[in-house]
PDB file of all heavy atoms in Angstrom:
ATOM      1  N   ASP A 243      26.327  27.036  31.670  1.00 96.00           N
ATOM      2  CA  ASP A 243      24.883  26.985  31.424  1.00 96.00           C
ATOM      3  C   ASP A 243      24.460  27.705  30.145  1.00 96.00           C
ATOM      4  O   ASP A 243      23.276  27.897  29.899  1.00 96.00           O
ATOM      5  CB  ASP A 243      24.073  27.498  32.635  1.00 96.00           C
ATOM      6  CG  ASP A 243      24.243  26.576  33.836  1.00 96.00           C
ATOM      7  OD1 ASP A 243      24.184  25.348  33.648  1.00 96.00           O
ATOM      8  OD2 ASP A 243      24.469  27.080  34.949  1.00 96.00           O
ATOM      9  N   GLY A 404      24.167  34.626  26.347  1.00 97.00           N
ATOM     10  CA  GLY A 404      24.340  33.915  27.609  1.00 97.00           C
ATOM     11  C   GLY A 404      23.025  33.640  28.307  1.00 97.00           C
ATOM     12  O   GLY A 404      21.967  34.115  27.890  1.00 97.00           O
ATOM     13  N   ASN A 405      23.117  32.878  29.392  1.00 96.00           N
ATOM     14  CA  ASN A 405      21.914  32.461  30.119  1.00 96.00           C
ATOM     15  C   ASN A 405      21.547  33.400  31.250  1.00 96.00           C
ATOM     16  O   ASN A 405      20.430  33.341  31.758  1.00 96.00           O
ATOM     17  CB  ASN A 405      22.103  31.055  30.694  1.00 96.00           C
ATOM     18  CG  ASN A 405      23.093  31.045  31.846  1.00 96.00           C
ATOM     19  OD1 ASN A 405      24.264  31.374  31.669  1.00 96.00           O
ATOM     20  ND2 ASN A 405      22.623  30.691  33.032  1.00 96.00           N
ATOM     21  N   SER A 406      22.482  34.238  31.690  1.00 95.00           N
ATOM     22  CA  SER A 406      22.220  35.062  32.872  1.00 95.00           C
ATOM     23  C   SER A 406      21.873  36.500  32.499  1.00 95.00           C
ATOM     24  O   SER A 406      22.690  37.218  31.915  1.00 95.00           O
ATOM     25  CB  SER A 406      23.444  35.075  33.788  1.00 95.00           C
ATOM     26  OG  SER A 406      23.290  36.090  34.766  1.00 95.00           O
ATOM     27  N   VAL A 422      21.856  38.275  23.278  1.00 98.00           N
ATOM     28  CA  VAL A 422      20.909  37.180  23.066  1.00 98.00           C
ATOM     29  C   VAL A 422      20.795  36.408  24.370  1.00 98.00           C
ATOM     30  O   VAL A 422      21.770  35.809  24.846  1.00 98.00           O
ATOM     31  CB  VAL A 422      21.373  36.220  21.940  1.00 98.00           C
ATOM     32  CG1 VAL A 422      20.358  35.083  21.775  1.00 98.00           C
ATOM     33  CG2 VAL A 422      21.535  36.975  20.633  1.00 98.00           C
ATOM     34  N   HIS A 423      19.605  36.438  24.933  1.00 96.00           N
ATOM     35  CA  HIS A 423      19.362  35.689  26.166  1.00 96.00           C
ATOM     36  C   HIS A 423      18.925  34.278  25.802  1.00 96.00           C
ATOM     37  O   HIS A 423      17.980  34.078  25.052  1.00 96.00           O
ATOM     38  CB  HIS A 423      18.266  36.389  26.986  1.00 96.00           C
ATOM     39  CG  HIS A 423      18.037  35.766  28.317  1.00 96.00           C
ATOM     40  ND1 HIS A 423      16.810  35.746  28.939  1.00 96.00           N
ATOM     41  CD2 HIS A 423      18.891  35.112  29.158  1.00 96.00           C
ATOM     42  CE1 HIS A 423      16.916  35.132  30.106  1.00 96.00           C
ATOM     43  NE2 HIS A 423      18.164  34.734  30.261  1.00 96.00           N
ATOM     44  N   ILE A 424      19.663  33.305  26.309  1.00 96.00           N
ATOM     45  CA  ILE A 424      19.324  31.891  26.111  1.00 96.00           C
ATOM     46  C   ILE A 424      19.064  31.322  27.504  1.00 96.00           C
ATOM     47  O   ILE A 424      19.993  30.832  28.168  1.00 96.00           O
ATOM     48  CB  ILE A 424      20.469  31.112  25.416  1.00 96.00           C
ATOM     49  CG1 ILE A 424      21.015  31.890  24.213  1.00 96.00           C
ATOM     50  CG2 ILE A 424      19.998  29.711  25.002  1.00 96.00           C
ATOM     51  CD1 ILE A 424      22.280  31.295  23.605  1.00 96.00           C
ATOM     52  N   PRO A 425      17.838  31.403  27.995  1.00 94.00           N
ATOM     53  CA  PRO A 425      17.575  30.996  29.379  1.00 94.00           C
ATOM     54  C   PRO A 425      17.881  29.508  29.593  1.00 94.00           C
ATOM     55  O   PRO A 425      17.762  28.707  28.666  1.00 94.00           O
ATOM     56  CB  PRO A 425      16.077  31.249  29.565  1.00 94.00           C
ATOM     57  CG  PRO A 425      15.659  32.107  28.426  1.00 94.00           C
ATOM     58  CD  PRO A 425      16.613  31.834  27.306  1.00 94.00           C
ATOM     59  N   HIS A 426      18.295  29.192  30.811  1.00 92.00           N
ATOM     60  CA  HIS A 426      18.525  27.802  31.197  1.00 92.00           C
ATOM     61  C   HIS A 426      17.515  27.470  32.292  1.00 92.00           C
ATOM     62  O   HIS A 426      17.126  28.342  33.062  1.00 92.00           O
ATOM     63  CB  HIS A 426      19.962  27.662  31.730  1.00 92.00           C
ATOM     64  CG  HIS A 426      20.359  26.253  32.048  1.00 92.00           C
ATOM     65  ND1 HIS A 426      20.247  25.724  33.300  1.00 92.00           N
ATOM     66  CD2 HIS A 426      20.853  25.272  31.263  1.00 92.00           C
ATOM     67  CE1 HIS A 426      20.665  24.460  33.271  1.00 92.00           C
ATOM     68  NE2 HIS A 426      21.042  24.167  32.045  1.00 92.00           N
ATOM     69  N   ASP A 427      17.091  26.222  32.350  1.00 87.00           N
ATOM     70  CA  ASP A 427      16.075  25.808  33.341  1.00 87.00           C
ATOM     71  C   ASP A 427      16.495  26.146  34.759  1.00 87.00           C
ATOM     72  O   ASP A 427      15.678  26.523  35.587  1.00 87.00           O
ATOM     73  CB  ASP A 427      15.855  24.290  33.294  1.00 87.00           C
ATOM     74  CG  ASP A 427      15.247  23.873  31.985  1.00 87.00           C
ATOM     75  OD1 ASP A 427      14.786  24.767  31.256  1.00 87.00           O
ATOM     76  OD2 ASP A 427      15.239  22.660  31.691  1.00 87.00           O
ATOM     77  N   LEU A 428      17.781  25.949  35.053  1.00 86.00           N
ATOM     78  CA  LEU A 428      18.275  26.197  36.402  1.00 86.00           C
ATOM     79  C   LEU A 428      19.085  27.488  36.404  1.00 86.00           C
ATOM     80  O   LEU A 428      20.027  27.632  35.645  1.00 86.00           O
ATOM     81  CB  LEU A 428      19.190  25.047  36.855  1.00 86.00           C
ATOM     82  CG  LEU A 428      18.579  23.654  36.909  1.00 86.00           C
ATOM     83  CD1 LEU A 428      19.644  22.634  37.266  1.00 86.00           C
ATOM     84  CD2 LEU A 428      17.442  23.606  37.912  1.00 86.00           C
ATOM     85  N   THR A 429      18.697  28.407  37.262  1.00 81.00           N
ATOM     86  CA  THR A 429      19.461  29.648  37.393  1.00 81.00           C
ATOM     87  C   THR A 429      19.716  29.904  38.869  1.00 81.00           C
ATOM     88  O   THR A 429      18.797  29.849  39.682  1.00 81.00           O
ATOM     89  CB  THR A 429      18.701  30.837  36.770  1.00 81.00           C
ATOM     90  OG1 THR A 429      18.465  30.546  35.388  1.00 81.00           O
ATOM     91  CG2 THR A 429      19.515  32.112  36.866  1.00 81.00           C
ATOM     92  N   LEU A 446      15.872  37.001  22.264  1.00 95.00           N
ATOM     93  CA  LEU A 446      15.620  35.860  23.139  1.00 95.00           C
ATOM     94  C   LEU A 446      15.483  34.604  22.302  1.00 95.00           C
ATOM     95  O   LEU A 446      14.832  34.617  21.247  1.00 95.00           O
ATOM     96  CB  LEU A 446      14.320  36.109  23.917  1.00 95.00           C
ATOM     97  CG  LEU A 446      13.808  34.978  24.800  1.00 95.00           C
ATOM     98  CD1 LEU A 446      14.702  34.812  26.018  1.00 95.00           C
ATOM     99  CD2 LEU A 446      12.367  35.244  25.236  1.00 95.00           C
ATOM    100  N   THR A 447      16.106  33.524  22.748  1.00 96.00           N
ATOM    101  CA  THR A 447      15.883  32.241  22.083  1.00 96.00           C
ATOM    102  C   THR A 447      16.010  31.117  23.094  1.00 96.00           C
ATOM    103  O   THR A 447      16.669  31.263  24.123  1.00 96.00           O
ATOM    104  CB  THR A 447      16.861  32.019  20.909  1.00 96.00           C
ATOM    105  OG1 THR A 447      16.537  30.766  20.296  1.00 96.00           O
ATOM    106  CG2 THR A 447      18.307  31.958  21.370  1.00 96.00           C
ATOM    107  N   ASP A 448      15.370  30.000  22.784  1.00 95.00           N
ATOM    108  CA  ASP A 448      15.451  28.847  23.684  1.00 95.00           C
ATOM    109  C   ASP A 448      16.474  27.840  23.178  1.00 95.00           C
ATOM    110  O   ASP A 448      16.663  26.788  23.772  1.00 95.00           O
ATOM    111  CB  ASP A 448      14.076  28.173  23.816  1.00 95.00           C
ATOM    112  CG  ASP A 448      13.531  27.729  22.467  1.00 95.00           C
ATOM    113  OD1 ASP A 448      14.181  28.022  21.426  1.00 95.00           O
ATOM    114  OD2 ASP A 448      12.476  27.089  22.437  1.00 95.00           O
ATOM    115  N   ASP A 449      17.148  28.163  22.072  1.00 96.00           N
ATOM    116  CA  ASP A 449      18.032  27.176  21.448  1.00 96.00           C
ATOM    117  C   ASP A 449      19.231  27.905  20.841  1.00 96.00           C
ATOM    118  O   ASP A 449      19.053  28.803  20.000  1.00 96.00           O
ATOM    119  CB  ASP A 449      17.257  26.431  20.354  1.00 96.00           C
ATOM    120  CG  ASP A 449      18.071  25.317  19.721  1.00 96.00           C
ATOM    121  OD1 ASP A 449      19.324  25.336  19.806  1.00 96.00           O
ATOM    122  OD2 ASP A 449      17.457  24.424  19.114  1.00 96.00           O
TER     123      ASP A 449
END
Side-chain angles (χ1 to χ4, degrees):
D243 294 316
N405 71 298
S406 167
V422 179
H423 185 212
I424 314 171
H426 185 266
D427 294 347
L428 300 176
T429 301
L446 175 71
T447 182
D448 58 355
D449 184 339

